[in-house]
């Protein structure tokens, strides 16, 4: 449950059916208080595009820190990112879905996490111009203009991605790559290569994350004292130490500390 902060405004903006395969939703946040507000973005292997229309926003992951004053692409997000909105910050986030990043920018994710201005990926100066056109508009108008802007750049979905789509329901299977290969008639090697190409991460990474996400949702929906041993068994962990290891890997928190601080953690939903 989010703690309400007077002067801090946030909202999710849904997209129309035409774009629901591309963007899960837009997220906006403005800080009209007199103090910095820091949140944690939980990793979900997602790729996002962040616009800053006010005071510069600081993103920090591990020892790396980025000061954003205009536009930035981040992802796939594998570790928690702390972001600080100073007074007068005004942020809009585009949450890419599935292969949407590939359809806009190509296989730039293959080398690892991207932290770049989108103009560097497109080799054009279009996002600088877009930023100026959005800066003084209200949030809902910004979202609508962004969707119109993206149309000429969006490539059609590759047929080979269907093998990845077929795999989506089987990430918690014992061998998700093998299950996808059997469904599609492709080799396991092709499934692995295409997974990395279109999504920027391996099927093994996604399988681990989906198991952790299942545990996370059970914790969030639990009332009263959490039965950790039951969660270990339900989610297919070997033991409680493996569950603790995943919490520390994805959130830098023990399960117990996550229960205490979960209101400060934001998670992007597909």
């Amino acid at each position: 449950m989010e703690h309400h902060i007077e002067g801090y405004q946030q909202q999710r903006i849904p997209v129309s059916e035409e774009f629901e395969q591309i963007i899960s939703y837009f997220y906006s946040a403005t800080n009209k208080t007199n103090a910095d507000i820091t949140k944690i973005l939980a990793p979900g292997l997602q790729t996002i595009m962040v616009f800053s229309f006010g005071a510069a926003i600081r993103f920090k992951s591990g020892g790396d820190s980025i000061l954003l004053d205009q536009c930035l692409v981040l992802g796939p997000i594998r570790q928690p990112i702390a972001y600080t909105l100073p007074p007068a910050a005004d942020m809009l986030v585009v949450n890419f879905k599935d292969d949407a990043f590939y359809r806009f920018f190509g296989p730039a994710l293959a080398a690892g996490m991207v932290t770049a201005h989108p103009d560097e990926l497109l080799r054009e100066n279009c996002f600088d111009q877009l930023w100026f056109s959005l800066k003084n508009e209200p949030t809902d108008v910004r979202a609508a203009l962004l969707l119109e802007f993206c149309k000429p750049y969006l490539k059609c979905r590759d047929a080979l991605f269907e093998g990845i789509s077929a795999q989506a329901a089987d990430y918690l299977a014992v061998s998700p790559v093998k299950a996808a290969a059997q469904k599609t008639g492709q080799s396991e090697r092709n499934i692995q290569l295409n997974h990395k190409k279109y999504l920027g991460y391996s099927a093994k990474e996604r399988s681990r994350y989906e198991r952790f996400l299942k545990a996370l949702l059970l914790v969030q929906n639990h009332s009263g004292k959490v039965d950790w041993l039951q969660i270990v068994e339900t989610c297919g962990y070997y033991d409680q130490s493996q569950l603790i290891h995943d919490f520390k890997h994805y959130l830098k928190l023990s399960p117990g500390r996550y229960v205490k601080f979960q209101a400060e953690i934001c998670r992007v939903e597909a």
Side-chain angles (χ1 to χ4, degrees), residues 78-115:
R78 293 177 167 88
Q79 293 292 309
I81 296 177
Y83 61 96
T84 300
L85 288 81
D90 181 1
M91 179 176 73
L92 180 66
V93 181
V94 183
N95 296 295
F96 290 116
K97 194 172 181 180
D98 299 331
D99 62 334
F101 182 90
Y102 176 87
R103 292 171 65 183
F104 279 116
F105 299 105
L109 297 172
M113 180 169 169
V114 171
T115 53

Side-chain angles (χ1 to χ4, degrees), residues 178-190:
K178 184 176 182 179
Q182 290 174 343
K183 273 188 176 183
T184 62
Q186 297 182 52
S187 70
E188 292 184 32
R189 176 64 175 164
N190 277 346

Side-chain angles (χ1 to χ4, degrees), residues 140-269:
D140 56 342
V141 175
R142 287 173 179 169
L145 290 174
L146 268 167
L147 293 176
E148 282 301 312
F149 171 84
C150 78
K151 287 180 179 179
Y153 296 94
L154 184 63
K155 305 177 187 71
C156 293
R157 171 170 282 177
D158 285 358
L160 288 174
F161 181 73
E162 298 307 320
I164 305 302
S165 296
Q167 182 181 328
D170 298 315
Y171 279 119
L172 293 176
V174 176
S175 179
V177 172
K178 184 176 182 179
Q182 290 174 343
K183 273 188 176 183
T184 62
Q186 297 182 52
S187 70
E188 292 184 32
R189 176 64 175 164
N190 277 346
I191 293 292
Q192 290 170 331
L193 291 174
N194 287 333
H195 203 288
K196 191 78 171 180
K197 173 183 175 182
Y198 294 114
L199 298 176
Y201 50 83
S202 69
K204 183 177 180 181
E205 285 183 276
R206 183 61 183 264
S207 181
R208 179 185 180 184
Y209 172 73
E210 289 294 332
R211 181 181 62 184
F212 170 71
L213 179 59
K214 183 177 180 180
L216 198 66
L217 293 175
L218 286 174
V219 172
Q220 290 176 345
N221 295 328
H222 201 282
S223 58
K225 186 177 180 181
V226 179
D227 187 341
W228 295 109
L229 292 179
Q230 182 63 47
I231 288 177
V232 165
E233 182 178 346
T234 301
C235 298
Y237 283 99
Y238 293 121
D239 53 29
Q240 195 165 346
S241 65
Q242 191 184 23
L243 173 67
I244 293 171
H245 181 74
D246 269 8
F247 265 86
K248 290 184 175 180
H249 173 78
Y250 287 112
L251 299 177
K252 305 299 183 187
L253 294 171
S254 68
R257 285 183 66 79
Y258 170 75
V259 171
K260 185 177 180 180
F261 295 109
Q262 61 179 302
E264 306 305 320
I265 298 174
C266 301
R267 184 175 61 81
V268 173
E269 298 175 5

Side-chain angles (χ1 to χ4, degrees), residues 107-139:
L109 297 172
M113 180 169 169
V114 171
T115 53
H117 191 290
D119 281 346
E120 296 174 17
L121 304 175
L122 289 175
R123 297 193 177 101
E124 294 185 34
N125 194 34
C126 51
F127 276 89
D128 274 343
Q129 298 173 31
L130 174 65
W131 182 86
F132 281 106
S133 69
L134 299 177
K135 188 177 189 307
N136 297 316
E137 298 290 348
T139 300

